[in-house]
Amino acid sequence: MSAAQARPGDYSQVPNPEHALKYAIRHIAGERVEIVEGVITPVSPSWAHESAVDLIREQIGPRLRELGLRAGSGNLDLPGTENFYVPDLAVVPAGLAKTEGALVPDQTLLVVEVTSPSNAETDRTAKRRRYSQYGAPVYLLVDRQERTCTLFSQPGQLGYTLVEGPHPFGAEVRLPEPLDVALDTTEF
């Protein structure tokens, strides 16, 4: 049966389901959504969540300007999978920050995810594994439920090979080169 002959509601003949899914979520009016392991999830962080992200942004901001880098929560595509993430914060070269489309994790220098009660397990496991598989060099997990920060680096297909932490909130967490910034986690 060809796509033209498919019955209404039968999407099994879509030429590229991954592309169709990623196209569709970018056209949801008024919503920020991501796809995690094929599940469309709205992104609606709380004030406490956003406060932690803002504290990180403030602390790394001067260093980013020195290095010609930008921080934001732009889309990250994971081609070949049903994953399309909206990280809480990603650091990229200034030139890439002008990209209208999505970037891929290996174009970042740092990806930060801050857990919320509804997504903590996703950030701890699925996203950590996928960011590593797609070459994000450094992944900072700010776990608000556990009140810890863990820094993952040296990505590989089976996961990050260097793990620093978990560090309790209040401990200093040093981001590796080229950022080389000590984060104060007291107010997270």
Side-chain angles (χ1 to χ4, degrees):
M1 175 183 317
S2 73
Q5 298 171 325
R7 294 182 303 274
D10 177 10
Y11 300 105
S12 63
Q13 301 300 314
V14 173
N16 189 324
E18 175 193 345
H19 291 165
L21 183 61
K22 291 174 182 179
Y23 174 85
I25 68 156
R26 289 186 304 233
H27 293 86
I28 295 176
E31 295 288 330
R32 283 188 59 113
V33 297
E34 62 183 0
I35 307 170
V36 178
E37 301 303 319
V39 177
I40 297 173
T41 308
V43 177
S44 54
S46 68
W47 280 103
H49 181 279
E50 285 297 292
S51 177
V53 174
D54 192 50
L55 289 165
I56 294 168
R57 189 186 302 259
E58 285 177 1
Q59 292 181 62
I60 65 175
R63 182 68 175 147
L64 297 184
R65 286 186 289 285
E66 286 175 23
L67 297 171
L69 304 172
R70 298 289 181 265
S73 60
N75 299 331
L76 292 178
D77 190 5
L78 286 73
T81 70
E82 294 176 332
N83 291 287
F84 194 87
Y85 295 161
V86 179
D88 292 314
L89 192 67
V91 173
V92 300
L96 290 179
K98 296 178 182 181
T99 301
E100 288 296 331
L103 298 176
V104 290
D106 69 358
Q107 292 176 298
T108 68
L109 281 86
L110 168 69
V111 175
V112 178
E113 293 287 0
V114 177
T115 65
S116 294
S118 63
N119 74 352
E121 213 41 52
T122 297
D123 289 347
R124 291 178 192 135
T125 57
K127 283 188 172 183
R128 183 185 78 217
R129 182 181 69 249
R130 292 296 191 176
Y131 282 138
S132 179
Q133 290 171 337
Y134 279 80
V138 179
Y139 175 51
L140 175 63
L141 176 66
V142 178
D143 193 322
R144 292 187 318 111
Q145 287 64 50
E146 298 289 328
R147 301 192 47 75
T148 62
C149 293
T150 307
L151 191 66
F152 301 90
S153 59
Q154 299 180 5
Q157 284 301 306
L158 298 177
Y160 286 100
T161 59
L162 183 59
V163 179
E164 298 175 36
H167 303 286
F169 283 3
E172 182 180 276
V173 175
R174 179 157 292 281
L175 300 177
E177 291 288 341
L179 297 176
D180 194 29
V181 174
L183 291 178
D184 177 357
T185 66
T186 305
E187 294 183 54
F188 289 1

